[in-house]
Every structure is written in C-alpha cells, then in structure tokens.
Amino acid sequence: MLHLLLTALLFAESATNVDSSPLREAEKASPDDWISRKTHYMESIPETLHELMSENNTALEGDVELPSDRNAVENIWPTLEIPYEISPELAGQKDAILSAMAMLSRPTCVSFHKRTSETDYLLFNVSTGCGSYVGFIGGEQPVFIGPECTMGIIAHEILHALGLHHEHTRADRGKYITILPKNIMKGMEVNFDVQDRQTFDLSYDLSSIMHYGSGVFSANGLPTILAKKRVKDMGQRVKLTNTDIMKVRLLYSCDVHE
C-alpha cells in the first residue's frame, strides 16, 4: 500500500516539478530510486507521513494538526488528570501508547487515566502516520497513531497535545542549527518557519524529543537541518531530556501542585 502511495506521489511530483526539483542530481534519479528513497524516508520519519498523505492540507510541521478554522487559541489542559481512550484498531500498539503516557507522567505532575464519562479527552486514533493538535482544543481530541509510531514518537505527539511545540522552530534556533532550504521537499518549507513560542528561558535543546532530525522533509537524501555543534542524538525519539521535562513542569505549574 505504501509503495502505491509513493508511486502516486512520485507521479504528481514529476507532473508539476519537472524543472524545479531541489537539486539537479535529484532530477536525474530514476523512478525506482525515488520510490526507494521515499519509502525509506517515510518509514524512518513517520511523523511527517500524516502531512505528506493529507488531502485536506491542515497539517503544519509534519505531525502538528491545525484546527479546521485555524484560529483556535492554544491552551493547556484545564486538569492535570487527562482522560484518554484508545481505538480498538490500535490494540497492537496499546502497550506503546500506555508506556508513552507513563514516560510523561513519571517525572511530571500530569497523569492519564482511562476515560469514563468525561467530555474532554484524548482519543488515540489509527492513521497513516503520527500527528496531534497542539494544546487543549476541547471535546474528543484525536492523537493520530500510524503503524510506524514507536513509544518515543507517541510521547512526542502527547507532548504536542499538552501544549509543546517543535524545538527547531524556536526564534533563537539560528545560534544552534542551520536550515538548508535547497534540500527541502517542495511545498514543505512551512515546516521550517520560525515560530514565536514560549521557551521559559530554557536553553535550546538539540537532543530534545521535540527536535526534528537532520533529514526531515528531505527531497534528496541530503540534510535539511545541520547542528552547529557536534550532537549524536538530534531527532531522537527514545527518551525525554531534562529540558522536555522542565517544559511540562513549568507549563503545568507542577511545583505548585506537588
């Protein structure tokens, strides 16, 4: 199925992008090379698949879903005890979802419990890729889980739902990373726009679970993000850093509630 989707994506690119691919060497690549490259890309960075395969174009920054009116105010949840439901279709990933919630609740004051009759709750829903709204939107709030979404990626999406943005969109990123526009997939440049976000005066964190890796939205296999200092784990989806934990704790005033 993924191969068919990629074939369709390749055809669309060749029809609209004959003279405008990011690099000339990419233009010379055979269709099989493109399909192989994009298959590897989508399997290794499933957070962006939700946007690449979206027909309604309401995704921003790969895995960040926009409200339909695009004017909703981003808020934190009004409770520290967040209800959730897991779609039956995600039975095979239930353990990963529960582990991701535990990863976030252990070092913070935010907890998760199975929904009973609450009106506002997280609904983990099956999808092609991984995605989430940013912050509390009210009602049944979906978190999109695709087959390639690991525990760390799911934790990343839940952090979005709690109100955290991507680290690479911080206004001070120029001191720490370089964006390489020529390597970015056409139409995906918005994912690298600087956003005016709350940083809590915490240092920029290249290792944050909320930071993208060097190859995100690459059109040609070359880096789209370069760190200005040596870092081994930029884009990691294994653990929360101290900065990730502190952001949640500050956002939800954990020191006050504990």
Side-chain angles (χ1 to χ4, degrees):
M1 180 62 178
L2 180 58
H3 190 279
L4 291 174
L5 290 171
L6 289 168
T7 303
L9 181 61
L10 173 63
F11 178 80
E13 285 185 352
S14 62
T16 61
N17 233 359
V18 174
D19 298 317
S20 59
S21 59
L23 288 183
R24 291 185 180 181
E25 67 182 64
E27 291 178 350
K28 298 177 182 178
S30 70
D32 286 343
D33 289 340
W34 270 100
I35 291 173
S36 176
R37 184 181 300 156
K38 288 185 181 291
T39 299
H40 174 74
Y41 170 85
M42 290 180 177
E43 289 176 347
S44 61
I45 315 180
E47 293 162 50
T48 62
L49 184 58
H50 186 71
E51 176 175 2
L52 290 171
M53 294 304 173
S54 175
E55 294 182 356
N56 58 14
N57 198 30
T58 61
L60 176 67
E61 298 174 28
D63 61 331
V64 175
E65 191 74 10
L66 292 175
S68 59
D69 62 6
R70 300 199 177 200
N71 291 315
V73 177
E74 296 158 2
N75 292 313
I76 65 171
W77 284 70
T79 176
L80 297 176
E81 301 173 350
I82 299 176
Y84 72 87
E85 282 188 3
I86 300 175
S87 170
E89 297 174 283
L90 291 171
Q93 289 170 277
K94 182 177 179 179
D95 287 346
I97 295 170
L98 294 176
S99 296
M101 288 189 284
M103 179 193 295
L104 296 173
S105 61
R106 279 193 298 266
T108 72
C109 58
V110 177
S111 64
F112 304 88
H113 65 274
K114 194 170 182 179
R115 176 190 178 232
T116 54
S117 60
E118 294 90 345
T119 302
D120 302 321
Y121 63 100
L122 292 177
L123 174 62
F124 293 91
N125 235 338
V126 68
S127 181
T128 52
C130 325
S132 176
Y133 291 90
V134 176
F136 174 75
I137 64 171
E140 179 184 282
Q141 180 167 334
V143 178
F144 303 100
I145 305 297
E148 304 296 331
C149 299
T150 62
M151 178 185 71
I153 293 176
I154 296 168
H156 173 105
E157 302 304 342
I158 297 172
L159 283 171
H160 277 316
L162 292 180
L164 270 61
H165 292 272
H166 286 134
E167 189 77 355
H168 75 275
T169 62
R170 280 177 52 151
D172 60 347
R173 71 176 185 194
K175 300 175 184 177
Y176 308 96
I177 61 172
T178 299
I179 304 298
L180 303 174
K182 289 185 178 180
N183 298 333
I184 298 172
M185 292 180 185
K186 184 176 176 61
M188 298 298 152
E189 297 86 354
V190 66
N191 299 293
F192 300 86
D193 287 349
V194 169
Q195 307 291 337
D196 185 16
R197 308 301 194 197
Q198 169 65 271
T199 65
F200 300 103
D201 294 323
L202 295 172
S203 299
Y204 191 95
D205 188 359
L206 288 163
S207 299
S208 168
I209 202 170
M210 302 306 291
H211 203 297
Y212 269 164
S214 62
V216 69
F217 286 115
S218 175
N220 47 39
L222 298 176
T224 55
I225 302 176
L226 285 180
K228 292 189 174 182
K229 70 174 185 179
R230 184 181 294 274
V231 59
K232 293 181 179 180
D233 55 356
M234 186 175 76
Q236 64 86 17
R237 295 293 182 266
V238 177
K239 62 181 182 179
L240 303 181
T241 65
N242 289 336
T243 304
D244 296 326
I245 294 168
M246 284 303 300
K247 283 182 180 177
V248 176
R249 292 186 62 85
L250 289 168
L251 194 60
Y252 284 85
S253 303
C254 286
D255 290 340
V256 174
H257 296 287
E258 292 178 346

